């Protein structure tokens, strides 16, 4: 394993309904935390991931605004956009930038403020990440599309919805110990089954909520990492892949092909087998997507993902601990920020700072962030500095 | 001079009011033209620049959609956003990607379809690139802000508006010979002065119009350039810099500091003095911004930019030919596409394919694309393959 980049600082805000604060406020808080951890190095570039600020917050041009707010006069700044994969895609672009080997730190921030509009508008905006020529104008929502996949999965593989939502239950159990989580409390299968139906069979407690948040990372060249901090974390792979945007045009509706491709490339780049990965962060807007992600990663055969849940393999202490700090359902899913939250939480694990949720001996973490139902997948592999050559 | 990347194909649509076509249609046309010129190489990544598709076209996630429409199954795709600098910023990210040295071509597309909404909505969306906490909610427009700068310039430097709009006249003269220009006809100072007042003293014929268009480039590693085509063009520098977003907070309202910084870095990277550049493409949403750009580039002292216009120095055959194929005023300014149009036209010049507008002996071209009034500036330097070491 060779480091592409070193993470020398990581910070985030609590995910929640920050009525009293602006998008920019949240981004500044996350960035200042990450910069402080990194010892406030000179920053030479800023990357911002955000999904929908023009529509939801009446503000575009976030990269320049954030550079301005942080008094990073004159630096390079760029905004990267891919719906709810914007955060990880921004991290990917930042890794490319670091690879060019210039001196100085690169700051990456994912931010989203979704509570400036009401829920139906959030759902409308979310559908703009799908193909407006087909899906969007049909009036279906993302939970609606997930409902179709869930029903198909249940029929094809004789799975029960009670088994599927164990994914959400795992998320909440882990979120309970994450001080930055939006929903830091455990739930049971009964909690999910007793919650309102959103799109049959999907229920409210099986869908990621609407929340605000920002997360940030400071990256440097690997050569500079040790100078900058005692416990850097290595990015050892950063890969992006696409799939048909319209789910209905995919060869197999239950195969997240973009994730499969990106993960394959990432593991090849890192020179790793999947069983060398200590824990996983996957993109579960609803439980079915989390399960399909486990299967696309090769952790279970198609249709057998539910067995991992039933047998406790995705719990802390299981064979493949997943969403160790709460995932999209428990920590919360502020779209463009989610990919960076995943990275921040991975850094906590690899530094041994995950508290009650610490995965024993964690050396390598893999994070998956995608747009919508997988039109774009980003996969990052992170490692403890000690195991990188 | 050393090449960062080689351009092996360039293509664009005509800029205009393409009522009958979609955003994606235009992007596909431009990409197919560029790919055909490059000999249809295997594409490994796609970058898309666009400013406002969610707001104007009810469609996000353009990178995945375009990859899908071009049948580029599974490739990496990323969308980059910085208002009307989105095109050049996408090119910058693509250059970073090429620098990593993987085999295969990288496709870059800038696209915008502005005619799906009415002009007042276009103006509203354009103001979202400014700071919503101050400028946007004041109700001022981009031409309004330009009017303030124009009035200040006229007062401070005793310039006349008739002199200033010679910039627009130069654009139109050049656009007349550009088959892809939106306004391919000459105008006079009288045309401008006789057109409706938009924001005193700015008149309609001094503002870039509303139009649709797409432009695309194929990039490869320099090592692969000659295999791919007979006349590649080199990208020898790609730099990005920021400035205060709110013009009123700048130290000098008439200094485009982001351009000054980006150009300085780019010329240093290319190892060039400014007088080695054969021609310039600058970002003139209105004439005043074009003049301030010439001054920020060091082609004239502050307040002396108008002299370059009066003396014909910016015309083809002058000392610093500018906007040789029509610029934002003459060719048209489909926001996120403009940075790539500038690059495509630069390629035409450097290949000697600019027809009646050919700059004799053109070896090096510099293009400047910015967001709004310069919150972000991107500067690219391109060169004939023969002059690159």
């Amino acid at each position: 394993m060779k480091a592409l980049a070193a993470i020398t600082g990581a910070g985030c805000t609590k995910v929640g309904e920050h009525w009293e604060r602006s998008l920019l406020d949240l981004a500044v808080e996350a960035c200042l935390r990450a910069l402080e951890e990194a010892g406030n190095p000179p920053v030479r570039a800023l990357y911002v991931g955000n999904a929908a600020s023009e529509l939801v917050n009446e503000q575009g041009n976030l990269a320049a605004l954030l550079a301005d707010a942080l008094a990073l006069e004159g630096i390079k700044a760029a905004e990267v956009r891919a719906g709810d994969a914007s955060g990880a895609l921004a991290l990917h672009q930042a890794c490319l930038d670091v690879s060019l080997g210039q001196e100085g730190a690169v700051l990456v921030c994912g931010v989203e403020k979704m509570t400036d509009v009401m829920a139906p508008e959030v759902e409308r905006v979310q559908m703009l990440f799908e193909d407006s020529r087909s899906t969007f104008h049909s009036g279906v929502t993302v939970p609606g599309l997930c409902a179709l996949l869930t029903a198909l999965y249940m029929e094809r593989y004789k799975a029960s919805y009670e088994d599927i939502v164990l994914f959400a239950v795992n998320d909440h159990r882990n979120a309970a110990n994450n001080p930055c989580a939006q929903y830091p409390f455990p739930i049971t299968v009964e909690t999910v089954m007793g919650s309102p139906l959103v799109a049959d069979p999907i229920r409210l407690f099986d869908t990621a909520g609407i929340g605000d948040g920002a997360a940030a990372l400071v990256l440097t060249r690997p050569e500079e990492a040790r100078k900058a901090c005692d416990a850097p974390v290595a990015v050892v792979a950063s890969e992006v892949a696409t799939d048909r945007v319209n789910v209905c045009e995919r060869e197999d509706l239950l195969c997240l092909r973009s994730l499969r491709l990106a993960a394959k490339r990432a593991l090849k780049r890192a020179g790793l087998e999947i069983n060398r990965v200590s824990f996983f962060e996957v993109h579960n807007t609803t439980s079915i997507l989390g399960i399909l992600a486990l299967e696309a990663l090769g952790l279970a055969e198609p249709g057998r993902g539910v067995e991992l849940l039933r047998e406790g393999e995705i719990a802390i202490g299981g064979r493949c601990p997943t969403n160790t700090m709460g995932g999209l359902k428990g920590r919360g899913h502020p779209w463009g920020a989610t990919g960076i939250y995943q990275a921040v939480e991975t850094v906590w694990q690899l530094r041994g700072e995950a508290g009650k949720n610490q995965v024993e001996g964690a050396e390598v973490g893999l994070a998956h962030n995608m747009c919508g139902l997988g039109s774009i997948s980003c996969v990052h592999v992170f490692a403890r500095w000690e195991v990188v050559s």
Side-chain angles (χ1 to χ4, degrees), chain A residues 10 108 124 154 225 237 244 267 296 325:
Chain A
V108 197
R124 192 190 78 85
M154 287 164 63
R244 306 301 302 264
L267 291 171
M325 300 306 284

Side-chain angles (χ1 to χ4, degrees), chain A residues 293-378:
Chain A
L294 297 176
E295 296 178 0
L297 284 167
L299 296 168
E301 292 294 310
R304 314 290 286 268
V306 277
E307 292 174 18
L308 293 176
L309 319 188
R310 273 201 305 258
E311 292 158 15
E313 299 287 25
I314 68 166
I316 314 279
R319 187 165 60 83
C320 47
T322 300
N323 292 4
T324 64
M325 300 306 284
L328 277 64
K329 178 68 197 81
R331 170 236 299 129
H333 178 39
W335 296 335
T338 289
I340 308 295
Y341 272 100
Q342 292 177 324
V344 169
E345 292 161 1
T346 302
V347 167
W348 294 346
Q349 283 287 357
L350 295 174
R351 286 201 208 129
E353 297 170 0
K356 288 185 185 168
N357 291 2
Q358 185 63 47
V359 174
E360 286 278 332
E363 291 193 332
V364 177
L366 183 150
H368 163 238
N369 185 204
M370 69 184 176
C371 180
L373 281 85
S375 52
I376 295 183
S377 275
C378 304

